[in-house]
C-alpha cells in the first residue's frame, strides 16, 4: 500500500477540489479517490488526504466512518455487496447470500484466501425492482439465481 498519493492522484484530487465551492463538499469524492489509491481508508491514508486537502484528519475520519462504502480494513480485489433490505429479502436475498457464503467459504466482512473476493451485506442499493440483486465493484447484477451467480463469479477468474 502506498503511503502517499501518486502524482496522478494528486492532480486528480486538485481538480476535484477545484470543482467544488469549498473543500468540505469535495470530501466524499476525495475519499473514493483515496480508497482507489490506497486500497482502503487507513489512518495513514486519511493523514495523506488531510495534508492534500488541508482539512483535519478527524473531520475526514468522521465522514469515512459514517459510510459503509469506505473500507476501514483491507478488502479483496473484488467486493461483493448483497442487498438484504426488505424488497430483496422478500425475493430471496438470504439464499443469495448463503449461496455465496458457501461457494466462497467466507462470511460477511471476510475475504477469500486467494484475496479475490470480499463478501458484504448492503442496505438497499436502489435496484429493488430487480431483486434479489448484488453489486460487484461498480456493477449491478440483478434478478439473481444460483446459475447467474456462478456465471458472474466466473468472470472474475
Ligand atoms: S431492497 Fe435491494 S435494491 Fe432495494
Amino acid at each position: 500500500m502506498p503511503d502517499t498519493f501518486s502524482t496522478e492522484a494528486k492532480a486528480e484530487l486538485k481538480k476535484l477540489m477545484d470543482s467544488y465551492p469549498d473543500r468540505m463538499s469535495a470530501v466524499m469524492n476525495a475519499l473514493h479517490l483515496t480508497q482507489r489509491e490506497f486500497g482502503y481508508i487507513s489512518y495513514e491514508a486519511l493523514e495523506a488526504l488531510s495534508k492534500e486537502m488541508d482539512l483535519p484528519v478527524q473531520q475526514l475520519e468522521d465522514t469515512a466512518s459514517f459510510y459503509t462504502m469506505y473500507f476501514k480494513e483491507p478488502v479483496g480485489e473484488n467486493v461483493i455487496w448483497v442487498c438484504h433490505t426488505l424488497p430483496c429479502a422478500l425475493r430471496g436475498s438470504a439464499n443469495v447470500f448463503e449461496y455465496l457464503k458457501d461457494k466462497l467459504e467466507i462470511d460477511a466482512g471476510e475475504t477469500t484466501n486467494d484475496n479475490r473476493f470480499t463478501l458484504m451485506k448492503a442496505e438497499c442499493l436502489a435496484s429493488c425492482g430487480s431483486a434479489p440483486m448484488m453489486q460487484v465493484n461498480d456493477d449491478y447484477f440483478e434478478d439473481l439465481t444460483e446459475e447467474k451467480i456462478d456465471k458472474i463469479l466466473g468472470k472474475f477468474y
Side-chain angles (χ1 to χ4, degrees), residues 96-109:
V96 167
F97 187 81
E98 284 303 308
Y99 187 71
L100 282 162
K101 195 175 135 181
D102 290 348
K103 200 170 166 78
L104 300 173
E105 300 178 336
I106 50 171
D107 210 332

Side-chain angles (χ1 to χ4, degrees), residues 15-30:
K15 204 169 148 195
L16 182 68
M17 286 190 288
D18 289 347
S19 68
Y20 284 92
D22 60 80
R23 287 184 178 180
M24 205 49 216
S25 307
V27 164
M28 292 196 57
N29 278 333

Side-chain angles (χ1 to χ4, degrees), residues 1-38:
M1 192 184 77
D3 57 4
T4 185
F5 286 94
S6 63
T7 309
E8 297 76 29
K10 278 184 187 178
E12 203 181 329
L13 191 54
K14 179 168 179 352
K15 204 169 148 195
L16 182 68
M17 286 190 288
D18 289 347
S19 68
Y20 284 92
D22 60 80
R23 287 184 178 180
M24 205 49 216
S25 307
V27 164
M28 292 196 57
N29 278 333
L31 284 167
H32 278 297
L33 193 156
T34 305
Q35 183 156 281
R36 223 172 49 229
E37 185 78 354
F38 290 80

Side-chain angles (χ1 to χ4, degrees), residues 8-94:
E8 297 76 29
K10 278 184 187 178
E12 203 181 329
L13 191 54
K14 179 168 179 352
K15 204 169 148 195
L16 182 68
M17 286 190 288
D18 289 347
S19 68
Y20 284 92
D22 60 80
R23 287 184 178 180
M24 205 49 216
S25 307
V27 164
M28 292 196 57
N29 278 333
L31 284 167
H32 278 297
L33 193 156
T34 305
Q35 183 156 281
R36 223 172 49 229
E37 185 78 354
F38 290 80
Y40 71 104
I41 306 290
S42 62
Y43 191 77
E44 291 71 26
L46 286 173
E47 281 185 324
L49 183 60
S50 161
K51 201 170 141 201
E52 294 304 318
M53 294 189 81
D54 197 22
L55 285 172
V57 175
Q58 189 56 54
Q59 209 167 342
L60 299 171
E61 193 171 27
D62 288 348
T63 305
S65 61
F66 186 78
Y67 296 98
T68 53
M69 62 196 170
Y70 301 123
F71 306 126
K72 318 308 178 302
E73 290 175 16
V75 290
E77 291 157 28
N78 305 288
V79 179
I80 303 173
W81 296 93
V82 179
C83 173
H84 71 139
T85 305
L86 190 61
C88 279
L90 290 173
R91 292 187 46 93
S93 63

